[in-house]
Amino acid sequence: GENVEQHPSTLSVQEGDSAVIKCTYSDSASNYFPWYKQELGKGPQLIIDIRSNVGEKKDQRIAVTLNKTAKHFSLHITETQPEDSAVYFCAASFKIRSGYALNFGKGTSLLVTP
Amino acid sequence: ETGVTQSPTHLIKTRGQQVTLRCSSQSGHNTVSWYQQALGQGPQFIFQYYREEENGRGNFPPRFSGLQFPNYSSELNVNALELDDSALYLCASSLGGGADTQYFGPGTRLTVL
């Protein structure tokens, strides 16, 4: 698989503010872009995903946008809460023999302060 | 519906030893992928098993090997352990046959001394 770049590496916001995390990818064949939230000592939890035939998707306070031409996608969290504090990973799919695997970014550590 | 489970939770080994990690896929899922997550990094794809065969492999040496059983559970084996193998090993299951959504287990924390 090819690279996925993720920024910023750390993000600190006040409760109630919005948080935005951005990713770029290099594999033009990627067509599936999930976002995972990982809390300390736990495995990554899928929070939202988007496919290449869609430009935006929203689920309550979380939204993801995708620009396939520019090869970048973003996670937007509105009205942040302290329980949103975690490490967030973006990923992009790449094709393997009879399925797909994921290339991950290096993660963004989000801290929401009350 | 049961989620992805992994065992053991933690493991400590010494350099040169061998280790086996286990994963049970989510109910109804026939595909298991393994990832290595070094401290402070994103997960890196090791390999995927689909219908009991290796379906793709990342940039990992042959001393990383795996198995998938008829009930879709899977094992990751690492021979000749090196200090750099210390990491969180994650298993993810998916529906397979082209489905791409992967659900992760809690991971096994391996420490190599």
Side-chain angles (χ1 to χ4, degrees), chain A residues 31-32 36 38 41-46 49 51 89 93-94 96-107, chain B residues 33 35 37 40-43 45 48 50 54-57 88 90 97-107:
Chain A
N31 59 10
Y32 173 65
Y36 289 88
Q38 188 173 28
K42 297 186 178 180
Q45 176 194 3
L46 180 68
D49 55 14
R51 298 179 189 279
F89 292 96
S93 67
F94 65 95
I96 55 177
R97 199 174 308 147
S98 300
Y100 298 89
L102 297 173
N103 270 326
F104 282 82
K106 290 189 174 181
Chain B
S33 303
Y35 292 81
Q37 186 178 23
Q41 301 294 316
F45 176 64
Q48 182 181 99
Y50 172 56
E54 188 179 287
N55 190 37
R57 189 179 187 93
L88 181 68
L90 295 162
D100 41 28
T101 304
Q102 298 188 7
Y103 298 91
F104 283 83

Side-chain angles (χ1 to χ4, degrees), chain B residues 19-90:
Chain B
V19 69
T20 297
L21 311 181
R22 295 177 175 83
C23 170
S24 290
S25 61
Q26 184 169 314
S27 177
H29 287 184
N30 60 11
T31 300
V32 171
S33 303
W34 286 92
Y35 292 81
Q36 180 195 66
Q37 186 178 23
L39 204 59
Q41 301 294 316
Q44 270 198 296
F45 176 64
I46 302 175
F47 44 56
Q48 182 181 99
Y49 277 83
Y50 172 56
R51 292 182 175 176
E52 301 178 53
E53 290 191 359
E54 188 179 287
N55 190 37
R57 189 179 187 93
N59 189 24
F60 281 82
R63 59 189 185 85
F64 285 78
S65 64
L67 281 174
Q68 187 178 33
F69 300 99
N71 66 355
Y72 307 130
S73 66
S74 176
E75 285 182 357
L76 164 66
N77 299 290
V78 187
N79 293 323
L81 283 167
E82 301 177 359
L83 298 180
D84 284 350
D85 295 334
S86 295
L88 181 68
Y89 287 85
L90 295 162

Side-chain angles (χ1 to χ4, degrees), chain A residues 21-64:
Chain A
I21 302 170
K22 298 183 178 183
C23 290
T24 60
Y25 62 98
S26 57
D27 185 353
S28 56
S30 293
N31 59 10
Y32 173 65
F33 307 90
W35 287 86
Y36 289 88
K37 174 183 181 182
Q38 188 173 28
E39 296 174 319
L40 204 59
K42 297 186 178 180
Q45 176 194 3
L46 180 68
I47 56 171
I48 195 167
D49 55 14
I50 191 168
R51 298 179 189 279
S52 59
N53 58 347
V54 174
E56 185 173 355
K57 184 177 177 180
K58 190 173 181 181
D59 182 4
Q60 299 184 339
R61 297 186 297 109
I62 295 174
V64 59

Side-chain angles (χ1 to χ4, degrees), chain A residues 74-99:
Chain A
S74 301
L75 177 71
H76 304 250
I77 305 174
T78 58
E79 300 171 26
T80 54
Q81 301 166 3
E83 50 266 39
D84 293 330
S85 297
V87 180
Y88 291 80
F89 292 96
C90 63
S93 67
F94 65 95
K95 189 77 174 70
I96 55 177
R97 199 174 308 147
S98 300

